[in-house]
Amino acid sequence: MASRALYSPRHPVLKKRDDFEDVLEERRRSSDLRYALRCYTPTLYKGLVPCKVSMLKSIVLQSDHLQCVIKQVSSESGDSTECVAEEASLILDEMAHRMQLSTVRFFVFTLSKAFKRLFRSVCVNEEGIQRLQQAVQEHPVVLLPSHRSYMDFLMMSYLLYMFDLPLPVIAAGMDFMSMKFIGEMLRMSGAFFIRRSFGGDKLYWAVFSEYVKTMLRKGYAPIEFFLEGTRSRTCKSLTPKTGLLNIVMEPFFKGELFDVSLVPVSISYERVLEESLYARELLGVPKPKESTSGLLKARRVLSEDYGSMHVYFGHPVSVRSLAEGKIKRSQYNLLPRYIPQKPSVDTHEFLNDAAFRLVRIQEENMVLKPWVLIATLLLQNPDGMDLSSLTEQTDWLRHLALAFGAFLDWPDHEACSEVISCSLALHRRLLSVSAGHVQLSVTDAPQVETTPEEAVFQRAVVVLSCASYRNQILHVFLRPALLAVAMQSANSSRKDDIYNCFNFLRNMFSNEFILCPGDSVQDFEEACYLLMKRGVLQVLEHEIVMSASGQSTLAFLCSVLEPFLQGYQVVCRYLCEETNENLTEKEFIPAVRSFALKLILAGRLKCCEALSSDLQKNALAALLRLKAVRKVKVGDQVTLKVNKIAVNSLEDTMGKSDVISK
Amino acid sequence: MLLQNSTCRASEGQEIMKWNGWGYSDSRFLFNKKGQAEFTGKRYRLSGLILPSLKDWFEGTFGANLQHRSPATPSLNLSAVAPPHLNQPFVEDLKAAGLSVSHDPEDRVFRAHGHCLHEVFALREGRIGRVPDVVVWPSCHNDVEKIVELACKHNVCLIPYGGGTSVSSALECPREETRSIVSLDTSQMNRILWIDEKNLTAHVEAGIIGQDLERQLNERGYCTGHEPDSMEFSSLGGWVATRASGMKKNIYGNIEDLVVHIKMVTPRGVIEKSCLGPRMSTGPDIHHFILGSEGTLGVVTEVTLKIRPIPEYQKYGSVVFPNFQQGVACLREVARQRCAPASIRLMDNEQFQFGHALKPQVSSIFTSFLDGLKKFYITKFKGFDPHHLCVATLLFEGDRGKVLQHEKQVYDIAAKFGGLAAGEDNGQRGYMLTFVIAYLRDLGMDYYVIGESFETSVPWDRVLDLCRNVKERIVRECKERGVQFPPLSTCRVTQTYDAGACVYFYFAFNYRGLSDPVHIYEQVEHAAREEILANGGSLSHHHGVGKLRKEWMKESVSGVGLGMLKSVKEYVDPQNIFGNGNLL
């Protein structure tokens, strides 16, 4: 049975998490072939209506909902209904999965081989699997994994096969389809493909939503999709999308299903396969030469050590309990249910809130490796650290992180120095270690002619790669860090003033981090609680006072947010200094990037993270949301109209201690 | 003890009825010394028969045990009844007007409740709450006018009482009522005043009980055809006041289709139409202020009803479906073709099994052999899963030729949905069940099992979803509230309409180990009602709102709708003489 409380007020230390078991261990001992061919008898949903792939298609095409939309579209466009119906059928062909067990078995075989080469271990919480086994029998299940790598959904299906769970159908982006062969293979292992954008296409939306809902209603298979919509290039969770979430919840809202179980799954990698690819993508740098030959690259990938991987199946969340008191299901009483209805304002708010909370569950169950702590420290010390002080500080940070509820996978009974040297060895590509001094650096063979720009980018690739590890733990420090910065910039110890600053920062960064809308007060209280418990602060009725011993913690927390503050300031500065009245949306990223590059080259900016397009996009989104920038459509182009006074004042409020030296 | 002027007649119905359970005192289920269930008395087809499989079903379904008894208090403890709070001048005036009046505790207690679970449960435990202070028996319309006039004059609270079969807490005395409460029992207003064979109408006093009305009309060769499940005990006035629905509404219509004229006494005076025209366009139909007013506006005293000649031929029938979905699809098709028999009802699998448990001992080896053969044919030959199959019961009425033709049409439709004709006997037993099921609740209560039924109406496309969700909600709520055994949670579709159906739920559970079973029962029923409303079902199809479902009225009829009703109440009864507190 799905848990009732989705998100209880947290007492991080008390949080209990399941133990892990390495599923590769067994694979290393017995035949992969026999394993791939073994008898697969999944646990089934009690209300399952058995249904073939081909039948599924005709059910969808004959559905009242789709028929209704076909008629609508036909009368709007003037095309005959047959014509529109034909179009719908083609859309469905393009979209639909064609799952067959033989393909799955092939994948199981090859993936067993690949996983054993790539990973030292793949750890899964078996209690989570057991809960899932229970859940799939009770109600239709939706699997919501985090998305950091292409590996994610392969791994999901692999694990579900392994534990005799029904194989999921997976919503995948159309981009896979460009890889003809792989695309078809994935289709046959349960992926279905959706176009990236189909905003106004009523028919497409109808086919797509009816397809997903039909599978859900029939209990055909668990539906799997990524709340974040796409792979996170930064290893930070992305602001969730609500479209698919609405689709899978609607059968409950409309009474077609008693309940739907949502299962957040957190997949974490000790080393992400796409690590440097992501960094290059964020910097807009062309991929390095060696990767042009896909084969060579694949071999290189396979020969590397990616450490361990953790998959944590969270507690199933019942949509029914989630919606209790928030969604008035009777709002659907007055319209036949097959007529498509835009979600009401309330529903939309609910979906958004639910999506954020689910992503937060994903974040919380994400396993963090020691390297995440080390990366955090190394990024704060660009000139490097002595191994001894690194060890000492990592240990300190470890305790802080644990006190804040981090899900840290720290090896038992091993000396801290031992743990650290292991981590350093695994991530040696990002480091240079000499004479007991550890520093982030480019270890690739020094290039013959490097321009200063190239040198900056090479450094930035390393910094951003490293940041992607630090980012994994940001959710643990985020709230206390916002409070720390707020205290610094409030210049007052009055609780109200600090809260206002906190709220401002939270608002500013709500495109950057997962901050549930409307949870401002809760977040503030949580931050106060955590820091108070740690002895960093004393929270009085109207005042917040720093303890003598709290200085170092607060300083650390401020530096956690520093790169983001600086990055946002760079964006603001750029917008204020930019003279082009007709700056288009498309030009924005390259322009900010070259602006930041200039600042770095001139020695006025140290922080490479300002070069990240992700940060730049988030900053722009925040400014748009805060109405400091407006989008204006001129012809085909979208241009950005900057309210310089507003941007300037936001920049000032963000950082009284201006870091970009003028 | 009756006061002066009263006749024995007044409480004669009361004498033969249970004071703390359903129906006639002589008719009840019990487990005999051999542990076999039997039904006592002589009144019903089932009376005096042994029901060999009921015990196993009962124990298996509820986890109940015949060793664990929870008997009722044997008789009413008169000292538990609070002394009446009399408005002396009012009582004097009533007596002066020559009306039958009583403040005997038994009379008062008998009229203080309907048949909600909590009401009967409290009686069985000997707990008596606020009861009416006086009972008065008018014997005609003029008596009622007099009573209402005096009630206004002396400011007492009047609660009309018909058959006492309410299941909406409608008869409960409002706790906040400080005035003297007077139960106005209409049972003496039980005459058919005239029959008009030219127009096929009858003018009847509203206190008449359903079965008496039908019997008396039958003697003249007519019937109303209005047969609610409670018709043995419920009154014509009660039907009007709650918008009752009869089993055979497909031929005869519901109460609102049957009435031609209504006379009601209100504190403002008498409300009635000036002619017997079959339909009028004279603004909103004033009958619809009266129908469903649940005793909040006045007392219905006389009703002109449509009557029909007794049908020449009646035939029961039944159809077995492989599952509930197919059954509902069939009923839907029958409704689409507008060829519903007088009655068509679809029981789900649990109820089908329940019905089976009520099969009396078969008299011959041959019958039992035949039953075995039928079972074999359906489950083995036709491949119906005994845990999914469900059965529809049918009742056809009319002239013989048409009935047979009609029957064929319905069975043909059923066949399209995989339905197999399953005989008249099963059909008839299904309808008999309707009348004895209320008695079964009393048996359950002797063994720690409590239960109740409730109903709704819902559009066709939502019937299946609503049934499934409500049943599952009940099971889940019971589990969450610590009920030890899975409850019986079952439903049936009892009426078909062009645009939807009426669905009835039965819900019962074993309450051993629970400290406040009634409260838990109420919480679960509340949750089930929420679920019904969330799934597009109505607040009530025919039970009414009473006090039990009042909280949802605004949601159900909108704020403006409720305001309209309130303003009518405000105009008609500014002193709140009819202060039973129902509906609004």
Side-chain angles (χ1 to χ4, degrees):
Chain A
M1 178 145 306
S3 71
R4 281 229 126 180
L6 170 60
Y7 202 81
S8 51
R10 305 187 308 156
H11 293 287
V13 193
L14 299 175
K15 204 175 307 162
K16 203 187 156 316
R17 275 129 172 174
D18 307 337
D19 294 331
F20 284 101
E21 233 156 289
D22 179 12
V23 297
L24 286 189
E25 217 175 283
E26 165 74 21
R27 286 299 78 242
R28 295 193 204 277
R29 278 190 267 122
S30 62
S31 152
D32 288 330
L33 188 62
R34 198 177 312 143
Y35 179 66
L37 295 176
R38 87 196 159 96
C39 176
Y40 163 72
T41 45
T43 330
L44 296 174
Y45 167 51
K46 68 175 180 200
L48 178 73
V49 184
C51 174
K52 292 233 168 61
V53 170
S54 55
M55 235 170 85
L56 200 58
K57 187 181 163 188
S58 71
I59 294 173
V60 172
L61 292 176
Q62 296 310 314
S63 67
D64 293 338
H65 169 215
L66 193 53
Q67 288 296 322
C68 163
V69 174
I70 286 173
K71 277 187 203 116
Q72 265 180 24
V73 170
S74 146
S75 75
E76 279 163 20
S77 66
D79 297 335
S80 69
T81 51
E82 291 79 12
C83 195
V84 181
E86 182 57 30
E87 200 186 321
S89 169
L90 290 174
I91 292 174
L92 190 54
D93 284 337
E94 177 196 86
M95 180 184 307
H97 73 85
R98 280 196 299 276
M99 196 189 308
Q100 52 183 43
L101 199 56
S102 54
T103 314
V104 173
R105 291 190 192 281
F106 168 77
F107 266 107
V108 167
F109 177 71
T110 45
L111 288 177
S112 292
K113 297 277 180 223
F115 289 155
K116 281 190 285 189
R117 294 197 68 169
L118 290 170
F119 303 112
R120 293 181 194 172
S121 62
V122 172
C123 298
V124 178
N125 63 327
E126 287 202 38
E127 281 165 70
I129 293 282
Q130 279 157 20
R131 287 191 295 257
L132 183 58
Q133 251 148 3
Q134 196 62 42
V136 294
Q137 294 174 50
E138 295 275 325
H139 303 292
V141 162
V142 176
L143 296 165
L144 301 169
S146 60
H147 204 8
R148 304 287 173 266
S149 166
Y150 278 136
M151 273 299 139
D152 292 330
F153 60 81
L154 296 176
M155 185 52 90
M156 283 292 289
S157 297
Y158 182 78
L159 289 175
L160 295 179
Y161 173 87
M162 181 172 257
F163 288 100
D164 267 332
L165 281 157
L167 289 165
V169 290
I170 308 141
M174 209 57 152
D175 11 347
F176 278 109
M177 285 291 290
S178 53
M179 302 184 271
K180 251 299 184 202
F181 177 70
I182 298 284
E184 285 313 304
M185 286 293 284
L186 292 176
R187 200 193 274 285
M188 285 189 280
S189 57
F192 63 96
F193 297 97
I194 345 167
R195 296 178 192 161
R196 278 280 167 214
S197 58
F198 47 92
D201 193 337
K202 236 191 222 175
L203 187 66
Y204 192 89
W205 180 259
V207 173
F208 166 52
S209 61
E210 191 55 35
Y211 181 59
V212 175
K213 284 186 203 170
T214 304
M215 290 191 287
L216 205 64
R217 284 188 213 117
K218 303 259 171 219
Y220 180 84
I223 312 281
E224 176 179 318
F225 69 91
F226 300 103
L227 273 171
E228 299 164 284
T230 182
R231 284 176 301 155
S232 165
R233 269 67 170 170
T234 58
C235 282
K236 245 178 325 123
S237 295
L238 304 176
T239 306
K241 309 268 186 291
T242 56
L244 248 165
L245 195 61
N246 183 35
I247 291 178
V248 298
M249 284 187 174
E250 229 179 40
F252 164 73
F253 295 158
K254 291 188 171 181
E256 294 161 340
L257 287 171
F258 183 78
D259 203 352
V260 175
S261 297
L262 308 175
V263 182
V265 184
S266 310
I267 306 176
S268 39
Y269 297 85
E270 188 165 14
R271 254 189 90 193
V272 181
L273 276 78
E274 293 98 327
E275 169 188 274
S276 64
L277 278 178
Y278 286 159
R280 292 197 157 79
E281 210 182 313
L282 291 171
L283 292 166
V285 197
K287 290 171 186 171
K289 273 242 170 73
E290 64 218 5
S291 73
T292 45
S293 156
L295 198 67
L296 262 174
K297 169 150 183 306
R299 269 181 61 185
R300 192 188 138 181
V301 167
L302 279 175
S303 63
E304 291 246 340
D305 178 358
Y306 289 90
S308 60
M309 179 178 172
H310 285 84
V311 183
Y312 193 96
F313 288 85
H315 280 271
V317 175
S318 142
V319 174
R320 178 175 274 266
S321 346
L322 210 53
E324 198 175 321
K326 302 216 176 92
I327 294 286
K328 220 172 135 56
R329 282 182 287 157
S330 56
Q331 67 181 296
Y332 297 94
N333 285 357
L334 296 181
L335 199 64
R337 291 177 295 177
Y338 64 85
I339 297 177
Q341 227 176 328
K342 282 242 165 65
S344 64
V345 177
D346 285 357
T347 310
H348 203 85
E349 205 174 287
F350 167 75
L351 288 167
N352 205 36
D353 192 61
F356 269 89
R357 278 161 213 283
L358 287 160
V359 172
R360 280 205 65 188
I361 295 178
Q362 285 179 356
E363 278 186 335
E364 300 212 315
N365 291 335
M366 203 77 93
V367 169
L368 304 170
K369 301 297 279 188
W371 165 248
V372 166
L373 303 175
I374 300 167
T376 308
L377 291 168
L378 287 174
L379 281 168
Q380 290 189 9
N381 298 278
D383 300 328
M385 301 169 83
D386 285 339
L387 204 49
S388 58
S389 105
L390 178 64
T391 311
E392 185 191 323
Q393 289 200 39
T394 305
D395 199 45
W396 171 81
L397 188 52
R398 174 187 157 206
H399 287 103
L400 184 68
L402 285 174
F404 287 177
F407 193 2
L408 200 56
D409 181 41
W410 190 278
D412 300 324
H413 325 297
E414 246 179 82
C416 188
S417 55
E418 190 62 26
V419 174
I420 287 175
S421 68
C422 272
S423 297
L424 295 181
L426 189 67
H427 294 276
R428 59 183 176 277
R429 289 183 162 276
L430 301 173
L431 302 165
S432 71
V433 187
S434 63
H437 192 78
V438 187
Q439 195 172 1
L440 290 182
S441 78
V442 193
T443 52
D444 282 358
Q447 312 244 316
V448 198
E449 304 151 53
T450 344
T451 63
E453 286 86 355
E454 276 169 4
V456 169
F457 276 115
Q458 274 172 19
R459 177 162 178 73
V461 167
V462 174
V463 169
L464 289 187
S465 299
C466 199
S468 75
Y469 294 98
R470 175 212 56 203
N471 286 347
Q472 294 176 19
I473 202 173
L474 277 179
H475 67 91
V476 173
F477 295 128
L478 179 60
R479 286 154 193 83
L482 286 171
L483 180 59
V485 176
M487 285 177 66
Q488 198 180 59
S489 59
N491 235 339
S492 142
S493 58
R494 284 193 51 218
K495 206 173 177 178
D496 288 354
D497 295 338
I498 295 174
Y499 174 74
N500 286 339
C501 279
F502 177 89
N503 199 21
F504 167 79
L505 288 165
R506 198 183 170 280
N507 202 9
M508 198 69 213
F509 284 131
S510 63
N511 295 77
E512 192 71 46
F513 308 116
I514 301 301
L515 291 158
C516 301
D519 272 5
S520 191
V521 174
Q522 251 165 284
D523 284 348
F524 183 69
E525 278 168 4
E526 188 185 313
C528 290
Y529 168 76
L530 289 173
L531 288 174
M532 201 163 65
K533 210 185 56 168
R534 199 64 195 152
V536 174
L537 300 179
Q538 275 182 289
V539 181
L540 311 170
E541 200 184 341
H542 297 293
E543 267 187 317
I544 298 180
V545 190
M546 189 176 76
S547 334
S549 60
Q551 183 59 47
S552 58
T553 308
L554 285 183
F556 164 79
L557 290 171
C558 285
S559 345
V560 166
L561 283 187
E562 196 57 44
F564 298 96
L565 282 163
Q566 287 194 23
Y568 275 48
Q569 282 170 336
V570 169
V571 172
C572 290
R573 180 60 51 83
Y574 161 71
L575 288 172
C576 290
E577 288 180 11
E578 174 60 55
T579 46
N580 179 5
E581 277 296 301
N582 294 315
L583 174 70
T584 65
E585 199 182 2
K586 270 191 196 141
E587 291 161 350
F588 171 77
I589 298 276
V592 183
R593 186 185 294 133
S594 60
F595 180 76
L597 183 63
K598 257 185 262 164
L599 288 176
I600 292 172
L601 287 172
R604 286 168 59 191
L605 177 69
K606 288 254 150 49
C607 170
C608 285
E609 290 187 52
L611 291 168
S612 158
S613 61
D614 181 68
L615 181 144
Q616 292 154 1
K617 273 182 216 156
N618 292 337
L620 179 62
L623 294 171
L624 284 164
R625 182 168 40 81
L626 297 171
K627 304 209 162 58
V629 178
R630 272 181 314 128
K631 279 188 189 178
V632 180
K633 211 166 175 183
V634 185
D636 294 344
Q637 302 274 21
V638 179
T639 63
L640 300 173
K641 296 289 170 210
V642 183
N643 178 346
K644 292 196 177 170
I645 298 167
V647 172
N648 224 328
S649 103
L650 284 174
E651 188 196 347
D652 280 353
T653 325
M654 234 183 328
K656 296 243 164 77
S657 58
D658 200 340
V659 280
I660 307 167
S661 32
K662 290 182 185 170
Chain B
M1 179 193 71
L2 295 173
L3 302 185
Q4 73 165 84
N5 295 333
S6 72
T7 60
C8 281
R9 225 165 53 124
S11 334
E12 130 193 310
Q14 185 179 326
E15 237 79 290
I16 56 167
M17 306 283 285
K18 293 197 190 79
W19 70 276
N20 63 353
W22 179 261
Y24 299 109
S25 307
D26 57 14
S27 302
R28 55 187 292 253
F29 284 97
L30 52 82
F31 287 112
N32 62 24
K33 291 200 182 90
K34 284 194 240 159
Q36 286 175 315
E38 60 178 90
F39 191 51
T40 63
K42 295 194 190 70
R43 295 175 190 270
Y44 299 91
R45 225 169 68 112
L46 216 53
S47 298
L49 294 180
I50 301 281
L51 312 162
S53 32
L54 187 60
K55 174 174 172 273
D56 286 346
W57 177 84
F58 184 71
E59 293 188 332
T61 305
F62 298 107
N65 188 317
L66 298 197
Q67 311 307 318
H68 299 144
R69 299 205 57 197
S70 50
T73 318
S75 60
L76 176 60
N77 175 9
L78 294 180
S79 62
V81 185
H85 162 53
L86 294 179
N87 181 320
Q88 279 305 339
F90 173 71
V91 176
E92 294 308 317
D93 280 357
L94 282 183
K95 287 183 197 164
L99 288 153
S100 310
V101 183
S102 161
H103 53 73
D104 175 273
E106 284 189 39
D107 291 338
R108 289 160 54 217
V109 168
F110 193 81
R111 286 157 187 82
H113 66 88
H115 284 273
C116 283
L117 175 77
H118 68 270
E119 294 173 313
V120 175
F121 197 89
L123 287 175
R124 285 173 61 93
E125 293 204 319
R127 283 186 281 117
I128 312 288
R130 174 89 148 100
V131 304
D133 302 296
V134 182
V135 183
V136 57
W137 286 269
S139 54
C140 63
H141 171 82
N142 289 343
D143 282 356
V144 175
E145 276 195 285
K146 190 76 204 164
I147 294 167
V148 173
E149 188 195 315
L150 291 174
C152 292
K153 182 175 157 202
H154 297 289
N155 194 25
V156 298
C157 171
L158 286 181
I159 297 185
Y161 181 90
T165 56
S166 143
V167 283
S168 59
S169 301
L171 289 167
E172 248 174 40
C173 297
R175 225 167 282 157
E176 63 280 7
E177 182 59 68
T178 52
R179 297 171 294 182
S180 180
I181 297 179
V182 180
S183 177
L184 190 155
D185 185 319
T186 59
S187 61
Q188 304 313 302
M189 302 168 30
N190 56 4
R191 291 163 298 171
I192 297 177
L193 296 176
W194 47 256
I195 289 177
D196 176 352
E197 293 179 292
K198 294 227 165 48
N199 293 306
L200 286 179
T201 51
H203 192 66
V204 188
E205 285 184 316
I208 195 165
I209 299 302
Q211 60 171 333
D212 297 337
L213 172 63
E214 220 53 15
R215 194 187 57 245
Q216 289 174 41
L217 286 174
N218 286 174
E219 284 162 9
R220 309 274 294 266
Y222 294 102
C223 67
T224 61
H226 185 69
E227 295 183 14
D229 292 357
S230 61
M231 72 173 290
E232 293 170 280
F233 310 109
S234 57
S235 69
L236 171 57
W239 299 340
V240 170
T242 56
R243 296 182 62 88
S245 169
M247 172 178 108
K248 298 194 289 195
K249 72 94 196 154
N250 292 334
I251 295 182
Y252 301 97
N254 287 319
I255 192 70
E256 67 272 21
D257 311 306
L258 283 165
V259 294
V260 176
H261 184 269
I262 306 172
K263 202 193 258 186
M264 176 164 83
V265 180
T266 77
R268 277 275 170 194
V270 175
I271 175 172
E272 64 178 322
K273 290 183 186 175
S274 66
C275 68
L276 297 177
R279 182 187 187 271
M280 331 183 172
S281 172
T282 46
D285 191 337
I286 56 155
H287 281 172
H288 286 288
F289 289 117
I290 301 170
L291 287 154
S293 58
E294 302 193 0
T296 58
L297 299 178
V299 190
V300 177
T301 55
E302 290 170 18
V303 179
T304 309
L305 283 165
K306 300 182 201 168
I307 54 171
R308 300 290 305 164
I310 296 176
E312 173 194 315
Y313 189 64
Q314 220 183 29
K315 192 172 181 190
Y316 288 97
S318 65
V319 183
V320 180
F321 292 98
N323 56 43
F324 192 63
Q325 287 87 317
Q326 295 281 72
V328 171
C330 172
L331 261 62
R332 204 281 159 266
E333 184 57 29
V334 166
R336 195 197 312 275
Q337 295 190 22
R338 289 197 170 168
C339 64
S343 168
I344 177 166
R345 287 177 168 178
L346 178 74
M347 306 188 227
D348 68 2
N349 182 262
E350 290 87 348
Q351 225 164 96
F352 164 75
Q353 299 193 15
F354 176 30
H356 250 258
L358 288 172
K359 261 193 174 172
Q361 204 156 29
V362 284
S363 38
S364 74
I365 301 176
F366 181 69
T367 340
S368 115
F369 171 73
L370 220 56
D371 279 351
L373 210 62
K374 266 190 251 167
K375 193 174 167 191
F376 177 81
Y377 176 71
I378 289 176
T379 58
K380 296 293 180 307
F381 192 71
K382 282 288 171 181
F384 285 17
D385 180 346
H387 296 288
H388 285 123
L389 63 81
C390 72
V391 64
T393 57
L394 310 167
L395 173 60
F396 298 91
E397 255 186 37
D399 65 64
R400 193 161 188 278
K402 276 190 189 145
V403 163
L404 296 178
Q405 201 184 344
H406 193 178
E407 193 185 17
K408 183 175 181 313
Q409 186 186 7
V410 172
Y411 282 122
D412 284 350
I413 294 173
K416 283 191 197 130
F417 296 89
L420 297 173
E424 284 183 64
D425 195 50
N426 278 321
Q428 196 168 6
R429 198 172 36 252
Y431 287 102
M432 175 196 63
L433 204 84
T434 302
F435 292 102
V436 299
I437 198 157
Y439 288 100
L440 268 169
R441 184 172 75 178
D442 292 335
L443 175 72
M445 287 207 270
D446 288 338
Y447 297 93
Y448 287 98
V449 172
I450 51 175
E452 178 111 88
S453 61
F454 46 90
E455 39 74 42
T456 186
S457 57
V458 59
W460 278 115
D461 70 316
R462 297 176 194 253
V463 169
L464 281 176
D465 289 332
L466 180 130
C467 290
R468 183 200 53 235
N469 289 352
V470 173
K471 283 180 353 182
E472 183 148 358
R473 177 79 180 261
I474 289 172
V475 173
R476 195 163 147 160
E477 294 283 338
C478 280
K479 194 171 168 191
E480 277 171 22
R481 289 169 209 287
V483 176
Q484 307 282 318
F485 295 91
L488 173 71
S489 173
T490 151
C491 71
R492 60 180 179 182
V493 179
T494 60
Q495 290 288 9
T496 63
Y497 291 87
D498 287 350
C502 168
V503 180
Y504 228 90
F505 291 93
Y506 290 99
F507 153 48
F509 63 86
N510 180 341
Y511 69 84
R512 268 172 63 82
L514 300 176
S515 59
D516 192 352
V518 171
H519 182 61
I520 287 175
Y521 168 79
E522 283 171 346
Q523 286 178 319
V524 177
E525 189 189 325
H526 189 274
R529 182 59 62 182
E530 293 276 359
E531 192 64 31
I532 287 174
L533 298 176
N535 282 275
S538 63
L539 188 52
S540 171
H541 170 263
H542 60 274
H543 281 176
V545 175
K547 289 179 271 291
L548 194 61
R549 286 176 277 273
K550 231 163 99 160
E551 65 181 285
W552 290 290
M553 261 304 270
K554 186 170 170 191
E555 187 186 323
S556 289
V557 302
S558 80
V560 177
L562 193 63
M564 279 168 113
L565 297 179
K566 279 187 172 154
S567 64
V568 169
K569 165 80 178 172
E570 186 58 31
Y571 170 76
V572 173
D573 183 16
Q575 273 178 276
N576 195 28
I577 296 301
F578 288 92
N580 60 17
N582 293 337
L583 203 60
L584 303 176

